[in-house]
């Protein structure tokens, strides 16, 4: 199945990734197929490997834990792998410089740049994004996108990335048969691609030009992945790498809307979904859900909700799923 996000189709023939094995050849085979761009992968003796996640045509998200020595070398075709070290440590070699990675660090590995990674007893989260997906998110030819440094550009970026990954995991892995709603999953995958570009693609940060669809796409992706957090228009503009005035003009031109209107729409959709899924017998209230999605005044929330859905939020809360 596929789902559109502002002109691009995220190809989502989702397949669960699940393997628990001590078989070195089985482990290497699965990872070579899942981590496109891996040129060489070797595990040492006494292997215990546990992999869980999901894979689409454009991306994969997995958690990998192993108890042996592992060595990995990347090569063409240049997909991007974003790794978060969860437990243990690893040694990363890029252009002759070796860095020790420790828990909590988030790094990018461009598989076209000949990176070496060695680890021993490691648990790591890995998100792989295809070059086509990144190019569509950047609204640029793939050849113009580069990731010259494995470290993120800002200190607060990793926490934003973790939030985006958690939301995707909840939508996909939190459902039976690893199948989330296609449009929602497509939005979350595209948001991951935009976030990766914001974290590591230096040349896109430095480019000065009239804001266009790509600036709007970066802004909407930032809103999508942080809708449950307080944010200002200035923060949205920074995430889109443009000024507040330019972003407002770009939204008016390409969306006939504004950044704040889009933020309200996303929050209303999330609140609507939560109200429909909630059980009032568990003590869930409309005010609690409204506050969680940034609506401090229940009366104003109810007015916006009724305009959007033709009913009061309390009616949705009382409605039981069929």
């Amino acid at each position: 199945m596929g789902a559109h996000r502002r002109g691009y189709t995220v190809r989502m023939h989702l397949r669960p990734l699940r393997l628990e094995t001590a078989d070195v050849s089985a482990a290497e085979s699965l990872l070579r197929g899942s981590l496109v761009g891996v040129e060489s992968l070797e595990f040492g003796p006494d292997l215990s490997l546990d992999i869980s996640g999901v894979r689409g045509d454009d991306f994969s998200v997995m958690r990998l834990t192993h108890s042996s020595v592992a060595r990995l070398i990347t090569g063409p075709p240049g997909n991007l792998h974003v790794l978060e070290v969860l437990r243990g440590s690893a040694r990363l070699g890029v252009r002759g410089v070796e860095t020790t990675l420790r828990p909590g660090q988030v790094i990018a590995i461009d598989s076209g740049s000949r990176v070496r990674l060695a680890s021993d007893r490691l648990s790591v989260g890995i998100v792989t994004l295809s070059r086509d997906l990144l190019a569509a998110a950047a609204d640029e030819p793939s050849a113009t996108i580069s990731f010259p440094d494995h470290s993120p550009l800002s200190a607060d970026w990793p926490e934003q990335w973790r939030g985006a990954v958690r939301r995707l995991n909840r939508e996909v892995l939190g459902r039976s048969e690893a199948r989330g709603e296609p449009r929602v999953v497509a939005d979350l995958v595209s948001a991951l691609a935009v976030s990766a570009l914001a974290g590591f693609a230096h040349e896109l940060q430095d480019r000065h030009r009239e804001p266009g669809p790509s600036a709007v796409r970066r802004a909407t992706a930032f809103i999508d992945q942080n809708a449950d957090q307080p944010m200002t228009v200035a923060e949205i503009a920074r995430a889109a790498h443009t000024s507040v005035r330019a972003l407002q003009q770009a939204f008016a031109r390409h969306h006939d809307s504004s950044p704040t209107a889009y933020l309200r729409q996303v929050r209303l959709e999330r609140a609507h979904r939560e109200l429909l899924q909630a059980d009032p017998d568990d003590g869930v209230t409309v005010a609690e859900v409204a506050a969680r999605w940034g609506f401090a005044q229940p009366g104003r929330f109810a007015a916006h909700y009724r305009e959007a859905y033709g009913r009061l939020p309390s009616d949705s809360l009382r409605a039981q799923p069929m």
Side-chain angles (χ1 to χ4, degrees):
M1 59 185 163
H4 289 279
R5 178 181 171 80
R6 299 172 186 88
Y8 179 67
T9 300
V10 177
R11 297 181 298 273
M12 292 197 314
H13 300 93
L14 298 181
R15 286 92 69 192
L17 288 172
R18 190 73 185 96
L19 180 66
E20 190 172 352
T21 186
D23 185 326
V24 171
S25 61
E28 293 175 352
S29 175
L30 176 68
L31 287 174
R32 283 199 185 95
S34 303
L35 302 177
V36 177
V38 172
E39 183 175 285
S40 172
L41 175 65
E42 298 178 356
F43 285 105
D46 303 319
L47 173 68
S48 174
L49 178 75
D50 190 314
I51 297 171
S52 60
V54 67
R55 179 185 178 188
D57 294 340
D58 291 298
F59 75 102
S60 66
V61 180
M62 71 173 71
R63 177 168 180 160
L64 182 153
T65 301
H66 72 82
S67 62
S68 181
V69 176
R71 294 181 181 84
L72 175 149
I73 301 175
T74 64
N79 288 348
L80 185 72
H81 309 292
V82 182
L83 280 66
E84 179 183 6
V85 180
L86 305 173
R87 190 173 66 249
S89 64
R91 295 179 303 283
L92 177 71
V94 183
R95 295 184 292 275
V97 178
E98 190 169 281
T99 305
T100 299
L101 306 176
R102 304 200 180 281
Q105 285 185 265
V106 181
I107 64 161
I109 295 179
D110 184 346
S111 64
S113 60
R114 303 278 309 170
V115 171
R116 296 173 180 269
L117 185 70
S119 60
D120 187 0
R121 300 180 182 277
L122 180 72
S123 181
V124 62
I126 306 174
V127 175
T128 298
L129 303 169
S130 76
R131 212 69 181 186
D132 287 344
L133 178 59
L134 292 165
D139 197 22
E140 300 281 351
S142 60
T144 67
I145 303 171
S146 65
F147 303 93
D149 193 351
H150 64 268
S151 299
L153 293 169
S154 64
D156 60 350
W157 179 87
E159 191 54 41
Q160 297 176 14
W161 175 258
R162 293 184 190 101
V165 174
R166 283 196 297 269
R167 281 183 280 277
L168 179 62
N169 280 332
R170 282 200 301 268
E171 183 63 34
V172 179
L173 300 180
R175 295 167 179 261
S176 62
E177 299 180 4
R179 293 293 188 274
E181 199 281 317
R183 186 174 297 278
V184 175
V185 176
D187 281 349
L188 293 171
V189 172
S190 293
L192 280 178
V194 174
S195 182
L197 291 166
F200 298 101
H202 295 228
E203 82 289 348
L204 294 179
Q205 297 274 36
D206 298 332
R207 194 165 295 163
H208 300 285
R209 63 181 185 180
E210 180 73 16
S214 59
V216 176
R217 186 157 41 246
R218 287 191 290 271
T220 55
F222 176 80
I223 291 171
D224 289 346
Q225 68 186 53
N226 295 284
D228 59 343
Q229 301 297 318
M231 71 177 73
T232 64
V233 177
E235 290 170 330
I236 298 170
R238 281 197 297 273
H241 319 317
T242 189
S243 68
V244 170
R245 183 178 179 183
L247 182 65
Q248 290 171 333
Q249 292 173 339
F251 260 83
R253 185 165 57 252
H254 298 288
H255 268 248
D256 194 24
S257 182
S258 68
T260 52
Y262 182 82
L263 173 61
R264 183 171 63 243
Q265 173 192 332
V266 170
R267 285 175 166 171
L268 274 173
E269 290 173 355
R270 306 283 173 84
H272 175 61
R273 190 187 316 167
E274 185 171 338
L275 287 168
L276 290 176
Q277 294 175 348
D279 186 346
D281 293 337
D282 291 338
V284 178
T285 67
V286 169
E288 173 188 343
V289 174
R292 183 157 40 249
W293 292 106
F295 296 95
Q297 300 179 18
R300 184 169 295 179
F301 169 69
H304 287 312
Y305 191 95
R306 187 166 192 170
E307 181 180 358
Y309 299 104
R311 66 196 304 188
L312 291 172
S314 55
D315 295 331
S316 295
L317 180 61
R318 288 193 295 267
Q320 293 300 308
M322 299 297 292

Short mmCIF file of all heavy atoms in Angstrom, two decimals, residues 151-201:
data_model
loop_
_atom_site.label_atom_id
_atom_site.label_comp_id
_atom_site.label_asym_id
_atom_site.label_seq_id
_atom_site.Cartn_x
_atom_site.Cartn_y
_atom_site.Cartn_z
N SER A 151 27.61 13.83 13.59
CA SER A 151 26.99 14.43 14.77
C SER A 151 25.89 15.40 14.36
O SER A 151 26.02 16.11 13.36
CB SER A 151 28.04 15.18 15.59
OG SER A 151 29.04 14.30 16.04
N PRO A 152 24.79 15.47 15.15
CA PRO A 152 23.71 16.41 14.82
C PRO A 152 24.15 17.85 14.98
O PRO A 152 25.09 18.16 15.72
CB PRO A 152 22.60 16.05 15.81
CG PRO A 152 23.28 15.33 16.93
CD PRO A 152 24.47 14.65 16.34
N LEU A 153 23.46 18.75 14.28
CA LEU A 153 23.83 20.16 14.27
C LEU A 153 23.52 20.88 15.57
O LEU A 153 24.17 21.85 15.91
CB LEU A 153 23.11 20.87 13.12
CG LEU A 153 23.53 20.46 11.71
CD1 LEU A 153 22.57 21.02 10.69
CD2 LEU A 153 24.94 20.94 11.43
N SER A 154 22.51 20.42 16.31
CA SER A 154 22.14 21.11 17.55
C SER A 154 22.00 20.11 18.69
O SER A 154 21.68 18.93 18.48
CB SER A 154 20.82 21.89 17.38
OG SER A 154 19.75 21.00 17.12
N ALA A 155 22.22 20.61 19.90
CA ALA A 155 22.20 19.73 21.08
C ALA A 155 20.81 19.25 21.43
O ALA A 155 20.65 18.18 22.04
CB ALA A 155 22.80 20.48 22.28
N ASP A 156 19.77 20.02 21.08
CA ASP A 156 18.42 19.61 21.44
C ASP A 156 17.74 18.75 20.38
O ASP A 156 16.65 18.24 20.58
CB ASP A 156 17.55 20.84 21.74
CG ASP A 156 17.43 21.78 20.54
OD1 ASP A 156 18.17 21.58 19.56
OD2 ASP A 156 16.61 22.71 20.59
N TRP A 157 18.41 18.56 19.23
CA TRP A 157 17.80 17.78 18.15
C TRP A 157 17.54 16.32 18.54
O TRP A 157 16.49 15.77 18.20
CB TRP A 157 18.67 17.85 16.89
CG TRP A 157 18.11 17.04 15.77
CD1 TRP A 157 17.20 17.43 14.84
CD2 TRP A 157 18.40 15.67 15.48
NE1 TRP A 157 16.90 16.40 13.98
CE2 TRP A 157 17.62 15.30 14.35
CE3 TRP A 157 19.23 14.71 16.06
CZ2 TRP A 157 17.67 14.03 13.81
CZ3 TRP A 157 19.28 13.45 15.51
CH2 TRP A 157 18.50 13.11 14.40
N PRO A 158 18.48 15.62 19.23
CA PRO A 158 18.23 14.19 19.52
C PRO A 158 16.92 13.93 20.25
O PRO A 158 16.25 12.93 19.98
CB PRO A 158 19.44 13.80 20.37
CG PRO A 158 20.53 14.71 19.90
CD PRO A 158 19.83 16.02 19.65
N GLU A 159 16.52 14.82 21.16
CA GLU A 159 15.27 14.58 21.88
C GLU A 159 14.07 14.70 20.95
O GLU A 159 13.10 13.95 21.06
CB GLU A 159 15.14 15.57 23.05
CG GLU A 159 14.02 15.23 24.01
CD GLU A 159 14.10 13.80 24.54
OE1 GLU A 159 15.21 13.32 24.85
OE2 GLU A 159 13.04 13.15 24.63
N GLN A 160 14.13 15.63 20.01
CA GLN A 160 13.06 15.74 19.02
C GLN A 160 13.00 14.46 18.17
O GLN A 160 11.92 13.96 17.86
CB GLN A 160 13.31 16.94 18.12
CG GLN A 160 13.28 18.28 18.83
CD GLN A 160 13.61 19.43 17.91
OE1 GLN A 160 13.62 19.29 16.69
NE2 GLN A 160 13.91 20.59 18.49
N TRP A 161 14.15 13.94 17.81
CA TRP A 161 14.22 12.71 17.01
C TRP A 161 13.63 11.54 17.78
O TRP A 161 12.84 10.76 17.23
CB TRP A 161 15.68 12.44 16.65
CG TRP A 161 15.88 11.14 15.94
CD1 TRP A 161 16.35 9.97 16.46
CD2 TRP A 161 15.62 10.87 14.55
NE1 TRP A 161 16.41 9.00 15.50
CE2 TRP A 161 15.96 9.52 14.32
CE3 TRP A 161 15.14 11.63 13.49
CZ2 TRP A 161 15.83 8.92 13.07
CZ3 TRP A 161 15.01 11.04 12.24
CH2 TRP A 161 15.35 9.70 12.05
N ARG A 162 13.99 11.40 19.05
CA ARG A 162 13.44 10.29 19.85
C ARG A 162 11.91 10.36 19.90
O ARG A 162 11.22 9.33 19.82
CB ARG A 162 14.02 10.32 21.26
CG ARG A 162 15.51 10.03 21.34
CD ARG A 162 15.99 9.99 22.78
NE ARG A 162 17.43 9.95 22.84
CZ ARG A 162 18.21 11.00 23.12
NH1 ARG A 162 17.65 12.17 23.39
NH2 ARG A 162 19.51 10.88 23.14
N GLY A 163 11.37 11.56 20.05
CA GLY A 163 9.92 11.71 20.07
C GLY A 163 9.28 11.27 18.77
O GLY A 163 8.24 10.60 18.78
N ALA A 164 9.91 11.62 17.64
CA ALA A 164 9.37 11.23 16.34
C ALA A 164 9.40 9.71 16.16
O ALA A 164 8.46 9.11 15.64
CB ALA A 164 10.17 11.91 15.23
N VAL A 165 10.48 9.08 16.61
CA VAL A 165 10.59 7.62 16.50
C VAL A 165 9.57 6.94 17.39
O VAL A 165 8.93 5.95 16.99
CB VAL A 165 12.02 7.16 16.84
CG1 VAL A 165 12.10 5.63 16.88
CG2 VAL A 165 13.02 7.71 15.83
N ARG A 166 9.38 7.46 18.61
CA ARG A 166 8.39 6.86 19.51
C ARG A 166 6.99 6.93 18.90
O ARG A 166 6.21 5.97 19.00
CB ARG A 166 8.40 7.59 20.87
CG ARG A 166 9.55 7.21 21.77
CD ARG A 166 9.29 7.66 23.20
NE ARG A 166 9.20 9.10 23.29
CZ ARG A 166 10.21 9.91 23.54
NH1 ARG A 166 11.44 9.42 23.70
NH2 ARG A 166 10.04 11.22 23.64
N ARG A 167 6.66 8.06 18.28
CA ARG A 167 5.33 8.19 17.69
C ARG A 167 5.13 7.20 16.55
O ARG A 167 4.05 6.61 16.40
CB ARG A 167 5.11 9.63 17.22
CG ARG A 167 4.75 10.58 18.36
CD ARG A 167 4.47 11.97 17.85
NE ARG A 167 5.69 12.72 17.60
CZ ARG A 167 6.39 13.38 18.53
NH1 ARG A 167 5.99 13.35 19.79
NH2 ARG A 167 7.48 14.05 18.22
N LEU A 168 6.14 7.01 15.73
CA LEU A 168 6.02 6.03 14.65
C LEU A 168 5.89 4.62 15.21
O LEU A 168 5.07 3.83 14.73
CB LEU A 168 7.24 6.13 13.72
CG LEU A 168 7.24 5.14 12.56
CD1 LEU A 168 6.06 5.38 11.64
CD2 LEU A 168 8.53 5.22 11.77
N ASN A 169 6.68 4.30 16.21
CA ASN A 169 6.59 2.96 16.81
C ASN A 169 5.21 2.70 17.40
O ASN A 169 4.67 1.60 17.27
CB ASN A 169 7.66 2.80 17.90
CG ASN A 169 9.02 2.48 17.32
OD1 ASN A 169 9.13 1.89 16.25
ND2 ASN A 169 10.08 2.89 18.00
N ARG A 170 4.64 3.72 18.05
CA ARG A 170 3.30 3.53 18.62
C ARG A 170 2.27 3.28 17.54
O ARG A 170 1.38 2.44 17.69
CB ARG A 170 2.90 4.76 19.45
CG ARG A 170 3.52 4.84 20.82
CD ARG A 170 2.73 5.78 21.72
NE ARG A 170 2.66 7.12 21.17
CZ ARG A 170 3.51 8.10 21.45
NH1 ARG A 170 4.52 7.86 22.27
NH2 ARG A 170 3.36 9.30 20.93
N GLU A 171 2.39 4.00 16.43
CA GLU A 171 1.39 3.88 15.36
C GLU A 171 1.52 2.56 14.62
O GLU A 171 0.51 1.97 14.24
CB GLU A 171 1.55 5.04 14.37
CG GLU A 171 0.52 5.06 13.27
CD GLU A 171 -0.90 5.25 13.79
OE1 GLU A 171 -1.08 5.96 14.80
OE2 GLU A 171 -1.82 4.67 13.19
N VAL A 172 2.74 2.09 14.42
CA VAL A 172 2.95 0.89 13.61
C VAL A 172 3.04 -0.35 14.48
O VAL A 172 2.29 -1.32 14.31
CB VAL A 172 4.21 1.03 12.74
CG1 VAL A 172 4.43 -0.24 11.93
CG2 VAL A 172 4.08 2.22 11.80
N LEU A 173 3.97 -0.35 15.44
CA LEU A 173 4.21 -1.56 16.23
C LEU A 173 3.19 -1.73 17.34
O LEU A 173 3.03 -2.83 17.87
CB LEU A 173 5.61 -1.52 16.84
CG LEU A 173 6.75 -1.43 15.81
CD1 LEU A 173 8.09 -1.40 16.52
CD2 LEU A 173 6.69 -2.56 14.82
N GLY A 174 2.48 -0.65 17.67
CA GLY A 174 1.48 -0.76 18.73
C GLY A 174 0.17 -1.34 18.27
O GLY A 174 -0.75 -1.48 19.05
N ARG A 175 0.08 -1.70 16.99
CA ARG A 175 -1.16 -2.25 16.45
C ARG A 175 -0.94 -3.70 16.01
O ARG A 175 0.17 -4.09 15.69
CB ARG A 175 -1.64 -1.43 15.25
CG ARG A 175 -2.03 -0.01 15.64
CD ARG A 175 -2.20 0.84 14.40
NE ARG A 175 -2.61 2.20 14.75
CZ ARG A 175 -3.85 2.65 14.70
NH1 ARG A 175 -4.82 1.84 14.34
NH2 ARG A 175 -4.14 3.88 15.02
N SER A 176 -2.02 -4.46 15.97
CA SER A 176 -1.91 -5.86 15.57
C SER A 176 -1.42 -5.96 14.14
O SER A 176 -1.76 -5.15 13.28
CB SER A 176 -3.27 -6.55 15.71
OG SER A 176 -4.22 -5.96 14.85
N GLU A 177 -0.62 -6.94 13.87
CA GLU A 177 -0.09 -7.24 12.54
C GLU A 177 0.72 -6.10 11.96
O GLU A 177 0.88 -5.97 10.75
CB GLU A 177 -1.24 -7.59 11.58
CG GLU A 177 -2.02 -8.81 12.03
CD GLU A 177 -3.13 -9.13 11.05
OE1 GLU A 177 -3.24 -8.46 10.02
OE2 GLU A 177 -3.89 -10.07 11.33
N ALA A 178 1.26 -5.24 12.84
CA ALA A 178 2.14 -4.14 12.40
C ALA A 178 1.55 -3.33 11.27
O ALA A 178 2.19 -3.03 10.28
CB ALA A 178 3.52 -4.69 12.00
N ARG A 179 0.28 -2.95 11.41
CA ARG A 179 -0.36 -2.17 10.37
C ARG A 179 -1.02 -0.93 10.97
O ARG A 179 -2.07 -1.01 11.61
CB ARG A 179 -1.44 -3.00 9.65
CG ARG A 179 -0.86 -4.15 8.86
CD ARG A 179 -0.02 -3.65 7.67
NE ARG A 179 0.37 -4.74 6.81
CZ ARG A 179 1.46 -5.47 7.01
NH1 ARG A 179 2.25 -5.20 8.03
NH2 ARG A 179 1.76 -6.46 6.18
N GLY A 180 -0.41 0.23 10.81
CA GLY A 180 -1.02 1.47 11.19
C GLY A 180 -1.87 2.01 10.06
O GLY A 180 -1.88 1.49 8.96
N GLU A 181 -2.61 3.09 10.31
CA GLU A 181 -3.41 3.72 9.26
C GLU A 181 -2.45 4.33 8.25
O GLU A 181 -1.56 5.09 8.61
CB GLU A 181 -4.30 4.79 9.90
CG GLU A 181 -5.48 5.19 9.04
CD GLU A 181 -5.06 6.15 7.93
OE1 GLU A 181 -4.27 7.07 8.20
OE2 GLU A 181 -5.51 5.96 6.79
N PRO A 182 -2.58 4.03 6.95
CA PRO A 182 -1.57 4.40 5.96
C PRO A 182 -1.21 5.88 5.93
O PRO A 182 -0.05 6.24 5.90
CB PRO A 182 -2.19 3.95 4.64
CG PRO A 182 -3.09 2.83 5.02
CD PRO A 182 -3.64 3.17 6.36
N ARG A 183 -2.22 6.76 5.94
CA ARG A 183 -1.92 8.18 5.82
C ARG A 183 -1.15 8.68 7.05
O ARG A 183 -0.23 9.49 6.93
CB ARG A 183 -3.21 8.98 5.65
CG ARG A 183 -2.97 10.46 5.38
CD ARG A 183 -4.29 11.15 5.07
NE ARG A 183 -4.88 10.63 3.86
CZ ARG A 183 -4.55 11.02 2.63
NH1 ARG A 183 -3.60 11.91 2.46
NH2 ARG A 183 -5.16 10.50 1.58
N VAL A 184 -1.53 8.20 8.23
CA VAL A 184 -0.85 8.62 9.45
C VAL A 184 0.60 8.14 9.44
O VAL A 184 1.53 8.88 9.76
CB VAL A 184 -1.59 8.09 10.70
CG1 VAL A 184 -0.80 8.41 11.96
CG2 VAL A 184 -2.98 8.69 10.78
N VAL A 185 0.81 6.88 9.07
CA VAL A 185 2.16 6.33 9.02
C VAL A 185 3.00 7.08 7.99
O VAL A 185 4.16 7.40 8.22
CB VAL A 185 2.14 4.82 8.71
CG1 VAL A 185 3.57 4.29 8.56
CG2 VAL A 185 1.42 4.07 9.83
N ALA A 186 2.41 7.40 6.84
CA ALA A 186 3.13 8.14 5.81
C ALA A 186 3.57 9.50 6.33
O ALA A 186 4.69 9.95 6.08
CB ALA A 186 2.26 8.31 4.57
N ASP A 187 2.70 10.18 7.07
CA ASP A 187 3.06 11.46 7.66
C ASP A 187 4.23 11.31 8.62
O ASP A 187 5.17 12.11 8.63
CB ASP A 187 1.87 12.06 8.42
CG ASP A 187 0.86 12.72 7.48
OD1 ASP A 187 1.18 12.90 6.30
OD2 ASP A 187 -0.24 13.04 7.95
N LEU A 188 4.20 10.28 9.46
CA LEU A 188 5.24 10.09 10.46
C LEU A 188 6.58 9.72 9.82
O LEU A 188 7.63 10.17 10.26
CB LEU A 188 4.80 9.02 11.46
CG LEU A 188 3.62 9.41 12.35
CD1 LEU A 188 3.13 8.21 13.15
CD2 LEU A 188 3.98 10.56 13.28
N VAL A 189 6.53 8.90 8.77
CA VAL A 189 7.77 8.54 8.07
C VAL A 189 8.38 9.77 7.40
O VAL A 189 9.58 10.01 7.47
CB VAL A 189 7.51 7.43 7.04
CG1 VAL A 189 8.73 7.20 6.17
CG2 VAL A 189 7.13 6.13 7.75
N SER A 190 7.53 10.56 6.74
CA SER A 190 8.03 11.78 6.11
C SER A 190 8.59 12.74 7.15
O SER A 190 9.58 13.43 6.90
CB SER A 190 6.92 12.45 5.31
OG SER A 190 6.54 11.65 4.21
N ALA A 191 7.95 12.81 8.31
CA ALA A 191 8.45 13.67 9.38
C ALA A 191 9.83 13.21 9.84
O ALA A 191 10.69 14.05 10.15
CB ALA A 191 7.47 13.67 10.56
N LEU A 192 10.05 11.91 9.89
CA LEU A 192 11.39 11.41 10.24
C LEU A 192 12.43 11.87 9.22
O LEU A 192 13.54 12.27 9.59
CB LEU A 192 11.39 9.88 10.31
CG LEU A 192 10.84 9.22 11.56
CD1 LEU A 192 10.88 7.70 11.40
CD2 LEU A 192 11.65 9.62 12.79
N ALA A 193 12.07 11.81 7.94
CA ALA A 193 13.02 12.23 6.90
C ALA A 193 13.35 13.71 7.03
O ALA A 193 14.51 14.12 6.93
CB ALA A 193 12.44 11.92 5.52
N VAL A 194 12.33 14.54 7.26
CA VAL A 194 12.57 15.97 7.42
C VAL A 194 13.40 16.24 8.66
O VAL A 194 14.30 17.08 8.66
CB VAL A 194 11.23 16.74 7.47
CG1 VAL A 194 11.46 18.21 7.80
CG2 VAL A 194 10.49 16.61 6.15
N SER A 195 13.12 15.51 9.73
CA SER A 195 13.89 15.69 10.96
C SER A 195 15.35 15.31 10.76
O SER A 195 16.26 15.98 11.25
CB SER A 195 13.28 14.84 12.09
OG SER A 195 13.99 15.03 13.30
N ALA A 196 15.60 14.22 10.03
CA ALA A 196 16.98 13.81 9.75
C ALA A 196 17.71 14.88 8.95
O ALA A 196 18.89 15.18 9.21
CB ALA A 196 16.99 12.48 9.00
N LEU A 197 17.03 15.46 7.98
CA LEU A 197 17.65 16.54 7.19
C LEU A 197 17.96 17.74 8.08
O LEU A 197 19.02 18.35 7.96
CB LEU A 197 16.71 16.95 6.06
CG LEU A 197 16.51 15.94 4.94
CD1 LEU A 197 15.32 16.33 4.09
CD2 LEU A 197 17.75 15.81 4.09
N ALA A 198 17.03 18.07 8.98
CA ALA A 198 17.27 19.21 9.87
C ALA A 198 18.42 18.93 10.83
O ALA A 198 19.15 19.85 11.22
CB ALA A 198 15.99 19.50 10.67
N GLY A 199 18.61 17.66 11.17
CA GLY A 199 19.67 17.32 12.12
C GLY A 199 21.04 17.22 11.51
O GLY A 199 22.05 17.52 12.18
N PHE A 200 21.14 16.82 10.23
CA PHE A 200 22.46 16.46 9.70
C PHE A 200 22.81 17.08 8.34
O PHE A 200 23.99 17.09 7.98
CB PHE A 200 22.56 14.94 9.56
CG PHE A 200 22.44 14.22 10.87
CD1 PHE A 200 21.25 13.62 11.24
CD2 PHE A 200 23.52 14.14 11.73
CE1 PHE A 200 21.13 12.96 12.44
CE2 PHE A 200 23.41 13.48 12.94
CZ PHE A 200 22.22 12.88 13.31
N ALA A 201 21.84 17.56 7.57
CA ALA A 201 22.15 18.03 6.22
C ALA A 201 22.60 19.49 6.25
O ALA A 201 21.81 20.41 6.12
CB ALA A 201 20.94 17.86 5.30
#
